[in-house]
Amino acid sequence: MSADEEKALGNAALQKKDFPTAIKHYTNAIDLDGSNHVYYSNRSAALLSNGDVQRALEDGEACVGLKPDWPKGYARKGAALWKLKRMNDAVKAYESGLEACPGDKALSDGLKAVKDAISAPPRPAGMMGGAQNPMASLFGSGLIDKIASDPKMKEYLTDQAFMDKIKTLQTNPNALQGMLGDPRIMEVLSMALGGNVGFGGPGDDSTSPPPAAAPKKKEPEPEPEPVEEDTSWMNEEELEKHNKKKDSVKRKNEGNDHYKKKEFQQAIAKYDEAISLDETNMTFLNNKAAVYFSMKEYETCIQICKDALEVGKANFAPFVDRAKCLTRMGKSYQKKGDLAEAIEAYKNAQLEHHTKDTERMLKNLELEKKKADKLAYQDPVKADEAKQRGNDLFRQQKWGEAVIEYEEAVKRNPKDAPIRNNLAAALCKIMDFNAAKAHIDEALALDPKYVKAYARKGDIHMLMKENHKALDAYKAGFELDNTNSACKEGIMKVQNMINQGSQNMTEEEKRERAEHGMADPEVQAILQDPVIRQVLQDFQQNPKAAQKAMQDQMVNGKIQKLIAAGVLQVG
């Protein structure tokens, strides 16, 4: 959909007072063509009517920046500043507009209305609010006559509820705030402000003339006569070229009709006719590529897209058209499974014209390719070869080189638990204990009954001076296989360290060990357990109660864990 089509949809929504939809379409138009001042002006009107005054002001300023000699941009800016109660700034906006566009009625009326609001005298004592509403001057005695002169609004005068609201506004302008939900009141307010100063429809004209007096009887209007194109200035060659271009667009539209009906061959024929009449328009080729994409003939679609890009570059086609063509090419590559080419096409499309949709497709595809590359790299045979090379290097005490080979084996076969166990052993040799722990945990996740991994996990925790975790790991492996010497010896080694090791420690070493244990979330959770806290207190104040509590297996296990972590010292 083109930017102008989006704008037309926005205009229709605004006329229906569907402000969020209008804002959406105007935003789409701006995304497609951010250099068109009218789109910002129209969105400013929709935002102001929707209550988003700050953004309405920003769009008004953008409109003025893009088209400094267009009065409506200043009117949008002034209306937003007025709504924000920045009255002096609103005056400056209208005055700047009149300097750029002298004599514009909408700007003159807007300036007068703001100045009247600023200079309005305070309300007499006893009136609501203690100060006059800036809008009070708009609802004078001539308001009814103005409404009656409008072909549409004059019908409102027959509605008693509407008349009651108008009378209320004339006596109490402060009541306006509670009536803004009535679109008829908004129309009256727009008229009172001097036309389309910020509350009305979008419009593309530079002025907003006052409504004409309604005819007594609306007669059916005759159909407009077709406008003849002035081709008298063209020579024979230029006229032929002009007629061919007109005919090519006609053929393209006929092709579009066939395409919508899924009459693909007929659509291709029409697009070919359009191309033969005008070889400089890449849109015809792009449309033809779309047909082949729908027919799932992706290779043909890609080739036509390439041809379209050549035509577009040679004839300075809009960047948006080139981006569309590249995006279609990317989709075709993606359908073929060539993710690398698809990513390249999407990146090139973003360079031509950046869109959020293409950015999303690009990011998703990059993630998909990363996963596909990892999967394609996997090879159990090559993984075993890398593992054997790692084993040889490990035996030669070339720990760093062994790590590299084991890591290659993991990439080739990430679901192999023994490879990760070997990698963890090599990582321990180069003292990268955290990485070793991560790989051994992954090995156990792959195979929860892998006893060697539990023994290795215990060793890693011993090296990290986490005796309580080492004891848990060894015990878990021993429960799975009570004949495993590594787990059995590990349990004995940890228990000896707990029972005797602390006797050989200095006070500084004991303190460091306790601080290390305290950093463990599991230890922290035990210390926060109210039962354990009571037991620890009883050890000092009521030893019998503490000994009785220790008979509970769960309590005993937690206390032993505190002792193993060095947080609780005995002896």
Side-chain angles (χ1 to χ4, degrees):
M1 190 174 295
S2 69
D4 279 340
E5 289 171 329
E6 290 283 3
K7 183 199 77 169
L9 291 174
N11 291 354
L14 191 61
Q15 289 169 3
K16 296 176 182 177
K17 311 297 182 186
D18 186 356
F19 304 126
T21 301
I23 292 167
K24 174 186 173 184
H25 286 300
Y26 291 142
T27 301
N28 291 342
I30 290 169
D31 288 340
L32 291 168
D33 182 5
S35 63
N36 194 313
H37 61 284
V38 174
Y39 305 155
Y40 287 96
S41 173
N42 292 4
R43 189 170 70 173
S44 178
L47 287 165
L48 190 63
S49 298
N50 200 45
D52 196 342
V53 187
Q54 185 58 45
R55 287 182 60 201
L57 173 59
E58 291 169 3
D59 275 359
E61 290 174 336
C63 182
V64 171
L66 289 169
K67 187 73 170 171
D69 59 347
W70 199 56
K72 189 161 287 186
Y74 296 97
R76 300 298 188 207
K77 181 179 177 180
L81 289 166
W82 189 352
K83 190 75 171 178
L84 289 168
K85 298 183 179 180
R86 293 167 56 182
M87 310 302 281
N88 291 332
D89 290 337
V91 168
K92 290 179 183 178
Y94 286 120
E95 288 177 341
S96 297
L98 287 169
E99 287 178 11
C101 314
D104 183 78
K105 186 178 186 306
L107 291 173
S108 298
D109 291 346
L111 178 60
K112 181 179 183 302
V114 176
K115 287 184 174 180
D116 288 347
I118 293 172
S119 61
R123 300 180 66 184
M127 294 188 71
M128 186 179 298
Q132 185 167 343
N133 189 310
M135 310 297 282
S137 62
L138 301 178
F139 305 120
S141 58
L143 181 62
I144 300 298
D145 292 337
K146 289 182 180 180
I147 297 172
S149 68
D150 186 277
K152 179 182 178 183
M153 287 190 286
K154 69 175 184 177
E155 297 177 4
Y156 301 160
L157 298 177
T158 61
D159 186 336
Q160 186 58 45
F162 173 81
M163 291 300 298
D164 290 341
K165 289 183 178 181
I166 294 297
K167 291 177 182 177
T168 300
L169 287 172
Q170 290 179 324
T171 58
N172 180 17
N174 284 314
L176 175 63
Q177 190 66 29
M179 300 182 189
L180 294 180
D182 188 335
R184 300 173 302 177
I185 297 297
M186 292 297 291
E187 290 178 29
V188 171
L189 181 58
S190 176
M191 179 188 67
L193 286 170
N196 201 16
V197 181
F199 296 90
D204 295 343
D205 297 329
S206 61
T207 60
S208 300
K216 293 182 179 179
K217 183 178 181 182
K218 189 174 182 180
E219 298 293 339
E221 295 182 3
E223 290 293 324
E225 293 292 330
V227 178
E228 295 289 340
E229 287 186 283
D230 181 14
T231 57
S232 59
W233 58 273
M234 297 181 184
N235 60 34
E236 187 176 342
E237 183 181 348
E238 290 170 333
L239 182 60
E240 182 183 2
K241 186 177 180 181
H242 171 77
N243 290 335
K244 278 187 175 182
K245 285 197 173 187
K246 280 185 61 179
D247 202 18
S248 69
V249 174
K250 180 181 177 183
R251 298 290 187 273
K252 185 259 298 186
N253 292 335
E254 291 172 355
N256 291 351
D257 292 337
H258 285 299
Y259 178 72
K260 291 173 184 176
K261 297 174 184 177
K262 298 188 184 298
E263 298 170 352
F264 296 140
Q265 294 304 328
Q266 295 93 319
I268 291 171
K270 289 297 180 182
Y271 292 141
D272 282 338
E273 290 178 20
I275 293 166
S276 67
L277 291 166
D278 182 5
E279 296 180 350
T280 66
N281 194 329
M282 72 173 292
T283 301
F284 306 153
L285 284 162
N286 202 9
N287 287 12
K288 182 178 176 181
V291 179
Y292 281 102
F293 184 87
S294 297
M295 294 168 64
K296 299 182 180 180
E297 295 185 26
Y298 303 120
E299 194 62 46
T300 304
C301 176
I302 291 168
Q303 185 56 54
I304 294 173
C305 284
K306 289 180 179 179
D307 295 341
L309 286 170
E310 290 299 321
V311 171
K313 290 176 182 178
N315 294 279
F316 305 101
F319 295 117
V320 174
D321 291 347
R322 299 188 206 178
K324 286 180 180 177
C325 191
L326 284 162
T327 300
R328 180 165 287 119
M329 189 188 299
K331 289 179 179 178
S332 298
Y333 277 122
Q334 189 173 353
K335 289 290 186 181
K336 287 182 59 184
D338 192 340
L339 303 187
E341 287 292 345
I343 289 171
E344 186 67 19
Y346 286 144
K347 285 181 177 179
N348 290 334
Q350 291 295 80
L351 291 175
E352 295 288 350
H353 179 72
H354 191 281
T355 67
K356 292 180 180 178
D357 286 342
T358 304
E359 182 70 18
R360 183 177 64 253
M361 288 190 292
L362 176 59
K363 288 183 178 179
N364 290 339
L365 193 59
E366 286 176 333
L367 289 173
E368 184 180 338
K369 185 177 184 301
K370 187 176 180 180
K371 292 178 182 177
D373 289 346
K374 288 179 67 175
L375 190 62
Y377 195 73
Q378 293 178 20
D379 186 331
V381 174
K382 291 184 177 180
D384 189 61
E385 292 173 358
K387 175 185 174 184
Q388 293 305 320
R389 291 195 298 270
N391 291 346
D392 293 341
L393 291 165
F394 191 91
R395 284 190 286 269
Q396 296 172 35
Q397 298 185 6
K398 297 179 179 179
W399 319 121
E401 295 176 47
V403 167
I404 294 172
E405 292 297 339
Y406 287 138
E407 286 178 337
E408 172 66 13
V410 167
K411 292 176 184 177
R412 293 288 188 179
N413 192 358
K415 301 297 183 183
D416 189 299
I419 291 177
R420 290 185 181 272
N421 182 48
N422 289 10
L423 175 56
L427 287 166
C428 285
K429 292 296 185 179
I430 62 173
M431 302 183 72
D432 190 350
F433 303 130
N434 287 323
K437 180 179 176 298
H439 281 288
I440 209 66
D441 285 343
E442 183 62 28
L444 287 169
L446 292 167
D447 184 0
K449 295 184 179 181
Y450 189 20
V451 177
K452 284 186 178 180
Y454 280 110
R456 181 80 62 204
K457 183 176 174 67
D459 292 344
I460 293 169
H461 284 302
M462 286 277 288
L463 291 168
M464 296 176 74
K465 298 182 180 180
E466 296 173 343
N467 292 339
H468 58 298
K469 291 186 177 182
L471 189 59
D472 286 344
Y474 290 133
K475 284 182 177 179
F478 189 74
E479 288 176 4
L480 290 171
D481 181 7
N482 57 16
T483 65
N484 185 277
S485 59
C487 290
K488 185 176 181 179
E489 291 173 5
I491 293 171
M492 294 175 62
K493 183 166 55 176
V494 174
Q495 288 178 335
N496 286 335
M497 288 186 66
I498 294 170
N499 295 331
Q500 300 177 7
S502 61
Q503 298 176 5
N504 300 322
M505 289 183 182
T506 64
E507 291 301 318
E508 180 66 20
E509 290 173 332
K510 290 179 181 179
R511 184 182 63 78
E512 290 181 0
R513 184 184 172 202
E515 288 178 353
H516 188 74
M518 286 286 289
D520 184 354
E522 184 182 3
V523 170
Q524 293 174 10
I526 292 173
L527 291 172
Q528 292 173 3
D529 186 333
V531 174
I532 300 302
R533 292 168 70 106
Q534 183 62 50
V535 171
L536 293 176
Q537 185 176 343
D538 287 343
F539 270 122
Q540 295 182 359
Q541 300 177 1
N542 190 355
K544 290 184 178 180
Q547 291 298 327
K548 185 176 180 180
M550 288 289 288
Q551 295 175 10
D552 183 281
Q553 187 175 358
M554 185 176 295
V555 172
N556 190 294
K558 290 183 177 182
I559 294 297
Q560 292 300 327
K561 187 157 291 188
L562 293 179
I563 294 172
V567 174
L568 185 62
Q569 298 179 13
V570 294

